Amino acid sequence: MKYTKRTFIYPIFERFWHWSQAALIITLGLTGFEIHGTYRLVGFGNAVSIHNTAAILLLVLVAFTIFWHFATGQWKQYVPTTQKLGAVIRYYAIGIFKHEPHPVRRTRYTKLNPLQKLVYLGFKLLIFPIMATTGLLYMFSNTLGIPISPIAFLHVLGAFLLISFFVTHLYIVLTTGRTPLTHLKPMITGWEALEEDDHAAPQAAPEPSAD
Ligand code: HEM
């Protein structure tokens, strides 16, 4: 028999870095494309100062977040696996539209399904490093005496990849739950109703810690 159990899944620091990273990336995206000349919002000069400040804040946040992932062992959530990867891709392409059950059950020990592990790891190891490296080279291109156009090209390319991730992420969060708030609320409150089998109850997770 299956039942749902309210489980503490996102500790406070994880929610803090998730939402501050989101706010900083939105700010960087909005000001970045003003710098690029796509539209006018706050004026070019302001866009540059806001972009530079948000970029430094993001780099500091990421440094703390990397430390947190290693200090708590949460980095293990992102170790990629091919097990059930095909089943999850098939589910999001076909199964979900036929109301089939999700092929992977979420627990506080495996918060991410194989597709999320791969995509989030790609974000951390590919997209973010591209943005940070090209952004810092852009910032110090005068001092370093390096040409700006290849750097700007890669920075904008990374920005497009990041925006594609962001749009897909939002779409999936808001449309695949029972209601649009189903997947959003746990990242605000820390608690999520997770499905469990009857026999899993005696080995239920220990009391949540505040780490
Ligand atoms: C991670 C740290 C980041 C750093 C250090 C950084 C740094 C910079 C710098 C120094 C500039 C040039 C500003 C100027 O003209 O003086 C710039 C431009 C830009 N940034 Fe970033 N940035 C970062 C993240 C982001 C993110 C996350 C996005 C998008 C979501 C973004 C999008 C852009 C865009 C579109 C431009 C305009 C490029 C052009 O057309 O030349 N940046 N960034």
Side-chain angles (χ1 to χ4, degrees):
M1 249 263 295
K2 288 202 173 129
Y3 69 102
T4 56
K5 180 167 183 275
R6 233 169 94 77
T7 310
F8 188 62
I9 188 160
Y10 297 122
I12 183 80
F13 183 77
E14 192 162 27
R15 284 174 278 152
F16 165 76
W17 77 252
H18 176 270
W19 291 115
S20 27
Q21 175 171 275
L24 289 170
I25 285 177
I26 292 168
T27 308
L28 285 160
L30 286 173
T31 50
F33 280 96
E34 170 147 18
I35 298 168
H36 190 62
T38 312
Y39 44 72
R40 201 199 127 86
L41 222 65
V42 289
F44 182 83
N46 290 330
V48 170
S49 347
I50 299 171
H51 196 83
N52 287 345
T53 310
I56 302 297
L57 288 176
L58 183 61
L59 293 174
V60 172
L61 175 71
V62 167
F64 277 102
T65 306
I66 291 172
F67 175 78
W68 177 85
H69 275 90
F70 284 106
T72 59
Q74 284 295 310
W75 64 272
K76 292 178 194 145
Q77 301 273 358
Y78 301 86
V79 176
T81 169
T82 51
Q83 227 187 353
K84 295 208 179 165
L85 178 62
V88 172
I89 294 173
R90 193 202 156 275
Y91 170 77
Y92 284 109
I94 304 165
I96 192 167
F97 300 108
K98 296 186 184 168
H99 304 285
E100 285 174 14
H102 198 291
V104 178
R105 201 171 57 194
R106 205 163 135 82
T107 72
R108 60 190 301 239
Y109 304 107
T110 51
K111 297 181 195 178
L112 306 174
N113 68 48
L115 187 58
Q116 283 176 310
K117 284 180 200 281
L118 207 63
V119 173
Y120 295 173
L121 193 67
F123 178 85
K124 286 174 192 294
L125 297 186
L126 193 74
I127 301 184
F128 182 77
I130 291 178
M131 293 315 286
T133 315
T134 54
L136 286 171
L137 286 174
Y138 210 144
M139 233 175 233
F140 298 105
S141 54
N142 263 343
T143 328
L144 297 169
I146 42 175
I148 216 161
S149 39
I151 297 167
F153 174 77
L154 289 175
H155 198 66
V156 175
L157 187 74
F160 277 114
L161 286 177
L162 210 158
I163 289 166
S164 321
F165 164 83
F166 183 70
V167 171
T168 315
H169 184 63
L170 262 187
Y171 174 76
I172 292 181
V173 165
L174 298 176
T175 63
T176 61
R178 207 172 46 81
T179 77
L181 293 182
T182 307
H183 295 315
L184 194 67
K185 256 165 88 185
M187 197 43 100
I188 296 168
T189 63
W191 291 85
E192 177 160 2
L194 296 179
E195 212 171 67
E196 293 201 15
D197 285 331
D198 248 356
H199 68 264
Q203 301 123 37
E207 280 303 298
S209 69
D211 54 1

